[in-house]
Amino acid sequence: REPPCPYVGLCGGCPWQQVDYHAQLAAKVRNLDDALRRIGKLSDFEIRPIVTAAREFNYRRRIQLRCDEDRQIGFSRSASHDLVPIDTCAITAEAVNCVLADLRRCLKLTSTKIAEVEMIAGDREDEIVVVVGTAGPLVASDILKFEELVSGDHIRGLVLKANGGRQIWGD
């Protein structure tokens, strides 16, 4: 099938999207069986049926993104450290995808060198927490920009890891 994500083949995160979901499950069972037999040297075992996901897409509530010198955020290219900038992620919860643009705008305005960003969705759409890891000291003029990010409708908390410590905004 045609994968719904435009980054399949570039991003290293979703190598199965071009395969029908039920075929994915069968292939994963075969992979597990092979690994247990070949690598684990096991022969007497039972593989229980896979518990299927309630949703094939938009299920992931936590993602970890990298940030480059140009303040682009995304995932690592498959088998590489190169960045694949993303606008959305097909397997990530809609609530997280909705705030990616806000986060991207905020990061473009900052001077602090950012290394990584983690986004976590709670049970409600307005329960997003963002954890930003810096690759250097926090630039004081960026504090207001980070505060503004948290004052929006969806991001409830921001943790900034810098200088060996943390600064926290919101809930």
Side-chain angles (χ1 to χ4, degrees):
R1 69 175 178 185
E2 191 67 31
C5 177
Y7 308 108
V8 167
L10 298 174
C11 170
C14 303
W16 294 92
Q17 284 189 16
Q18 68 278 8
V19 180
D20 173 76
Y21 183 61
H22 295 292
Q24 287 180 34
L25 298 178
K28 289 175 183 180
V29 167
R30 285 192 304 273
N31 286 352
L32 177 60
D33 182 80
D34 176 63
L36 291 172
R37 289 181 193 283
R38 189 174 39 82
I39 299 168
K41 307 288 187 224
L42 301 173
S43 59
D44 188 26
F45 60 86
E46 173 190 353
I47 298 176
R48 294 185 176 182
I50 292 178
V51 177
T52 58
R55 300 174 64 164
E56 185 178 355
F57 298 100
N58 301 113
Y59 60 86
R60 184 170 289 169
R61 292 169 41 159
R62 177 180 176 198
I63 60 171
Q64 294 175 311
L65 305 166
R66 292 187 34 240
C67 185
D68 67 8
E69 295 85 24
D70 296 325
R71 305 270 189 279
Q72 296 183 97
I73 54 175
F75 296 110
S76 293
R77 184 175 303 277
S78 182
S80 165
H81 294 290
D82 296 339
L83 184 76
V84 177
I86 63 158
D87 292 320
T88 63
C89 174
I91 63 171
T92 298
E94 282 300 321
V96 174
N97 278 321
C98 287
V99 298
L100 276 172
D102 293 338
L103 176 63
R104 191 177 300 102
R105 274 192 297 278
C106 175
L107 294 179
K108 289 276 188 191
L109 297 173
T110 61
S111 298
T112 302
K113 187 171 181 179
I114 306 298
E116 61 191 10
V117 176
E118 183 175 5
M119 301 175 73
I120 305 111
D123 291 332
R124 296 189 333 237
E125 285 188 20
D126 65 344
E127 294 180 329
I128 304 286
V129 173
V130 177
V131 180
V132 176
T134 67
L138 170 63
V139 176
S141 61
D142 290 341
I143 292 174
L144 285 176
K145 295 171 185 107
F146 288 120
E147 286 176 353
E148 288 173 7
L149 184 63
V150 177
S151 67
D153 292 334
H154 298 287
I155 297 176
R156 296 290 297 261
L158 178 102
V159 178
L160 183 74
K161 298 187 295 185
N163 306 332
R166 294 182 208 186
Q167 189 152 353
I168 300 172
W169 292 273
D171 297 338

